[in-house]
């Protein structure tokens, strides 16, 4: 008898030593007994005699079996689920029928053995992996036509902003450096550095295992490197004052190394194998983002297009000056010399044809890769051939209007003053009237509202857009113009972005196409 009691004591002691929680519940799901680990996780005094889920403070049952205890009672088989407790902990629950039944009132009472394993670390790691995968897919979360509208520098800034955001929120690091490998020379060119000392950010590094720090070693070997203590690591080159550990991984695209990501910390041993896994996954997403944004091939793919854009940029405003001078002279000769007026009209026509020819050549030379799949062809077609007049004394605004709108196939002309705009409109030839007129609210000679009133003599309604900086409108031009028929959404705030300029232009095109019809 004593030996049997010793065995029972030994069994209970063994159960108390288990790292998992163990409980016995009856067929009413009430707790009869718990081991030491179960009692440590939850309040033993309030557990015994209570329903299991109530004793666990009603956790959320994630699955796969949403009723594992009932399943075990009904089928005499084991079942399992994951529990999410209000404390933030996650437990894997297994229930299995006990091999013993206690007779009572002619029927056997079933018991279940329930085990709980703390799987918080595993679940949180899975969630973090899922979040990193989602973040990677959002690194270039832009519509294809938005990406196409950006130049290389804008694409780089987009990627930098997203990387900064996700590394801080998901990887919990504040110090990051990304370098891209120049394949021909082996030079590691800085793309992004946050928190890195300027001297370190400007340091020339090569893809070489010697003399180029951890970054050069990773670029040469293609293997990640965990520096647990910078003070004792011979490879490490200081990234910022006070750095004590670092983690560097390669950026791989289709098995080809294209760069490196390095994160650093002021704490010794701040990174582990799990962090390395996370950063390697994120690095693959960065590689895909770089490829998607065409940073690696943009110069080659768009060289011809950029050359034409450069030529057009150089001649756009000078041709606008020719047009303005021609209409000024033509005003003096109208009604006096028909031959001179005719020649001036031919000059206007030829100058406009020169602009259109340069634009057509640029489109024909642009490689197919420069236009990503999925571009909004309907929107581009809507803009193609539309005549836009931009009136602003600021040369940069006029240049920007040419550069941005002409990407969409618009024909852009500019004027610096209101009176010049009036002359341009008054001397439009047949089929050359402007589809949209974009004007600053404060011109050197009169306001945007006054320009709109003068144009009503030639156009009705006037397809007008008014520009203002930071809501500045001392003469209440916008209010007056709206009272005179300005479209309620025909306002553009400077400095404007491409999407804003395109949006307001499209609104006016749609509105006045409808009214004309």
């Amino acid at each position: 008898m004593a030996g049997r009691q010793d065995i029972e004591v030994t069994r209970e002691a063994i159960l108390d030593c288990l790292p998992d929680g163990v409980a016995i519940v009856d067929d009413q799901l009430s707790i009869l007994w718990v081991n030491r680990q179960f009692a440590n996780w939850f309040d033993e005094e309030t557990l015994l005699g209570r329903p299991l889920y109530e004793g666990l403070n009603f956790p959320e049952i994630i699955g796969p079996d949403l009723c594992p205890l009932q399943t075990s009672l009904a089928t005499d088989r084991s079942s399992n689920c994951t529990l999410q407790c209000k404390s933030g902990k996650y437990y894997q629950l297994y229930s299995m029928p006990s091999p013993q039944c206690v007779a009572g009132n002619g029927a056997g009472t079933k018991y279940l053995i329930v085990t709980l394993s703390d799987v918080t670390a595993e679940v949180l790691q899975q969630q973090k992996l899922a979040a990193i995968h989602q973040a990677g897919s959002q690194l270039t979360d832009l519509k294809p036509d938005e990406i196409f509208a950006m130049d290389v520098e804008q694409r780089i800034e987009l990627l930098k902003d997203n990387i900064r955001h996700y590394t801080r929120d998901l990887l919990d690091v504040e110090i990051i450096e990304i370098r891209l490998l120049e394949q021909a020379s082996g030079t590691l060119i800085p793309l992004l550095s946050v928190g890195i000392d300027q001297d370190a950010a400007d340091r020339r590094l090569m893809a070489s295992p010697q003399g180029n720090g951890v970054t050069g070693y990773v670029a040469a070997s293609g293997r990640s490197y965990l520096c647990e203590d910078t003070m004792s690591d011979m490879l490490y080159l200081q990234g910022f004052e006070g750095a004590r550990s670092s983690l560097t991984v390669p950026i791989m695209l289709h098995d080809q190394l294209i760069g490196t990501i390095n994160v650093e910390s002021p704490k010794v041993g701040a990174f582990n194998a799990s962090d390395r896994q996370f950063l390697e996954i994120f690095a693959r997403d960065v590689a895909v983002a770089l490829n998607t944004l065409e940073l690696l091939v943009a110069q080659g793919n768009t060289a011809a297009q950029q050359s034409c854009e450069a030529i057009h940029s150089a001649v756009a405003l000078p041709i606008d000056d020719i047009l303005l001078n021609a209409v000024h002279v033509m005003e003096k000769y109208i009604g006096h010399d028909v031959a001179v007026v005719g020649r001036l009209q031919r000059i206007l026509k030829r100058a406009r044809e020169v602009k259109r020819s340069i634009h057509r050549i640029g489109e024909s030379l642009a490689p197919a890769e420069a236009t990503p799949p999925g571009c909004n062809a309907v929107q581009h077609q809507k803009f193609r051939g539309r005549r836009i007049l931009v009136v602003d004394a600021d040369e940069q605004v006029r240049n920007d209007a040419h550069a941005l709108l002409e990407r969409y196939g618009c024909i852009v002309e500019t004027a610096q003053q209101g009176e010049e705009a009036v002359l341009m409109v008054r001397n439009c030839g047949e089929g050359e009237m402007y589809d949209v007129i974009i004007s600053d609210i404060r011109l050197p000679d009169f306001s945007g509202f006054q320009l709109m009133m003068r144009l009503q003599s030639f156009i009705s309604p006037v397809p007008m857009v008014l520009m203002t900086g930071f809501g500045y409108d001392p003469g209440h031009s916008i209010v007056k113009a709206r009272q005179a028929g300005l479209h309620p959404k025909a306002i553009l705030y400077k400095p404007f972005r491409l999407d804003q300029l395109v949006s307001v232009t499209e609104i006016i095109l749609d509105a006045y196409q409808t009214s004309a019809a």
Side-chain angles (χ1 to χ4, degrees), residues 25-43:
V25 303
D26 62 18
D27 55 4
Q28 300 302 309
L29 308 186
S30 294
I31 301 172
L32 302 179
W33 176 87
V34 296
N35 74 341
R36 183 180 301 166
Q37 182 65 283
F38 205 112
N40 289 339
W41 285 338
F42 304 96
D43 187 356

Side-chain angles (χ1 to χ4, degrees), residues 338-373:
V338 176
V340 171
V341 171
R343 297 192 71 174
L344 289 171
Q345 287 174 337
R346 286 194 293 274
I347 290 174
L348 287 171
K349 183 178 180 181
R350 293 299 184 190
R352 286 168 173 152
E353 287 175 352
V354 168
K355 291 175 66 174
R356 285 195 287 268
S357 294
I358 293 174
H359 189 71
R360 283 195 297 270
I361 292 170
E363 289 183 324
S364 66
L365 290 179
E369 296 88 349
T371 305

Side-chain angles (χ1 to χ4, degrees), residues 191-297:
L191 174 69
L192 168 68
S193 62
V194 179
I196 300 293
D197 293 344
Q198 193 60 50
D199 288 344
D202 295 337
R203 180 189 293 138
R204 188 171 187 270
L205 295 178
M206 305 292 292
S208 172
Q210 301 295 330
N212 290 270
V214 173
T215 298
Y217 172 82
V218 170
S221 66
R223 295 193 298 268
S224 300
Y225 191 94
L226 178 60
C227 173
E228 295 184 344
D229 188 348
T230 61
M231 304 298 289
S232 59
D233 195 310
M234 300 300 293
L235 268 181
Y236 179 77
L237 295 177
Q238 181 174 294
F240 73 98
E241 188 175 355
R244 293 303 306 275
S245 60
S246 73
L247 173 61
T248 310
V249 304
I251 301 176
M252 307 293 296
L253 180 66
H254 308 312
D255 297 327
Q256 180 183 14
L257 188 142
I258 62 172
T260 59
I261 295 183
N262 173 53
V263 296
E264 306 202 7
S265 171
K267 299 178 182 178
V268 175
F271 307 105
N272 56 31
S274 178
D275 295 316
R276 182 178 63 190
Q277 179 189 22
F278 290 145
L279 193 59
E280 286 173 346
I281 292 170
F282 191 67
R284 289 199 293 270
D285 291 325
V286 169
V288 173
L290 287 166
N291 187 55
T292 302
L293 291 177
E294 300 179 334
L295 296 182
L296 304 178
V297 295

Side-chain angles (χ1 to χ4, degrees), residues 146-217:
E146 290 177 312
I147 295 175
F148 176 60
M150 293 179 174
D151 59 27
V152 175
E153 291 302 319
Q154 289 171 322
R155 296 175 188 183
I156 291 174
E157 288 306 314
L158 166 77
L159 186 57
K160 285 181 180 179
D161 287 342
N162 285 343
I163 290 173
R164 278 191 288 261
H165 168 69
Y166 290 123
T167 52
R168 184 179 296 113
D169 288 359
L170 294 178
L171 303 176
D172 195 27
V173 293
E174 297 286 344
I175 313 299
I176 181 169
E177 181 183 43
I178 295 180
R179 289 177 179 254
L180 296 183
L181 176 63
E182 188 176 69
Q183 302 292 338
S185 66
T187 304
L188 291 164
I189 302 170
L191 174 69
L192 168 68
S193 62
V194 179
I196 300 293
D197 293 344
Q198 193 60 50
D199 288 344
D202 295 337
R203 180 189 293 138
R204 188 171 187 270
L205 295 178
M206 305 292 292
S208 172
Q210 301 295 330
N212 290 270
V214 173
T215 298
Y217 172 82

